[in-house]
Amino acid sequence: NLINSESIVYSFGVGDSISFEKVIASNFNCKVLCFDPTTLSKNYMNKIDYDNNLISFMEYGIWDKDEKIKFFYQDENKKEDTGGSILNQFKTGSYEMLQCYKLKTLMKQNNHNYIDILKLDIEGAANQVLKNVIDENILPKQIVAEFEYSEDDNIDKKDFDNWLLDVKNLIKRFRDNNYKIYYIPRYTHIPYSTIEVLMQKID
């Protein structure tokens, strides 16, 4: 009931699925802007069918600066069709420089002065991006975000504790800006490898 045909949805981190974006666009007849600069997403979007009157795809990433930045390959054995991570979640050695923009810049480019839903599945970069979002006083009605620490099982406890504290402090900032925070449990074989949340702005 918070979404209608006038709603604007920004989704970052397409990977090889836009099932969420298709459902939102078709159920509510609203605009969904999808962003991902990786070859995996570009190849995927080139071969699937979607309503381009409602869903648009842009070959950019999101970051806290407007610049080209290193995206480390998810799979070094198939660089022509792979995802990537700014924070090297996959612990690989190869990367390419890909264009990223701040959310504020992308909104300006698309003539939007508000966002109803911001979706982030960006392989470990959500903490830094959301700090920039709230620093610039951009307050979407809903934020769906995945906080990933690492794809590696060899976790350094001190580093993890610092990361978790960073997430907690970020969530507190959104709470202080009148957001309700919901934890979204993940029912898979690795249910605790990431923290997924929904943040809803309460007016």
Side-chain angles (χ1 to χ4, degrees), residues 106-189:
L106 292 168
M107 290 173 67
K108 186 175 182 179
Q109 288 176 0
N110 290 285
N111 297 314
H112 293 144
N113 55 20
Y114 70 91
I115 297 176
D116 292 278
I117 298 176
L118 172 63
K119 178 175 177 276
L120 298 172
D121 184 2
I122 51 177
E123 308 304 338
N127 298 35
Q128 202 150 333
V129 166
L130 285 172
K131 285 178 191 173
N132 175 254
V133 167
I134 201 165
D135 283 347
E136 298 198 326
N137 200 36
I138 302 170
L139 303 173
K141 290 182 182 176
Q142 297 186 81
I143 301 169
V144 188
E146 183 172 17
F147 297 103
E148 302 101 336
Y149 172 71
S150 174
E151 292 283 321
D152 192 341
D153 288 336
N154 295 317
I155 293 174
D156 179 274
K157 186 177 186 307
K158 183 177 180 181
D159 187 54
F160 177 80
D161 287 345
N162 289 335
W163 173 84
L164 189 59
L165 181 61
D166 196 42
V167 173
K168 288 179 177 179
N169 288 337
L170 180 62
I171 286 175
K172 183 181 184 303
R173 289 189 68 189
F174 278 95
R175 280 204 176 106
D176 291 344
N177 279 273
N178 296 322
Y179 278 86
K180 285 189 74 172
I181 317 292
Y182 300 89
Y183 168 59
I184 307 172
R186 215 176 154 171
Y187 296 104
T188 69
H189 64 292

Side-chain angles (χ1 to χ4, degrees), residues 15 29 50 57 92 96 102 106 123 140 152 164 197:
N29 197 39
Y50 58 91
F57 174 64
T92 58
E96 60 181 319
K102 298 189 297 181
L106 292 168
E123 308 304 338
D152 192 341
L164 189 59
V197 299

Side-chain angles (χ1 to χ4, degrees), residues 18-69:
I18 58 166
S19 55
F20 171 87
E21 292 77 5
K22 281 185 172 181
V23 168
I24 292 288
S26 62
N27 283 4
F28 300 99
N29 197 39
C30 66
K31 299 284 187 183
V32 179
L33 288 75
C34 302
F35 301 84
D36 196 315
T38 64
T39 54
L40 175 66
S41 295
K42 288 188 275 190
N43 292 340
Y44 168 73
M45 294 299 288
N46 283 334
K47 69 184 180 185
I48 65 164
D49 293 322
Y50 58 91
D51 184 348
N52 56 21
N53 291 315
L54 294 176
I55 297 176
S56 57
F57 174 64
M58 298 175 200
E59 298 176 2
Y60 307 132
I62 187 170
W63 190 231
D64 61 358
K65 298 179 184 67
D66 299 335
E67 63 182 8
K68 284 193 173 182
I69 193 166

Side-chain angles (χ1 to χ4, degrees), residues 64-78:
D64 61 358
K65 298 179 184 67
D66 299 335
E67 63 182 8
K68 284 193 173 182
I69 193 166
K70 293 177 182 178
F71 270 69
F72 289 86
Y73 293 124
Q74 181 175 2
D75 187 342
E76 292 182 290
N77 295 317
K78 52 174 188 175

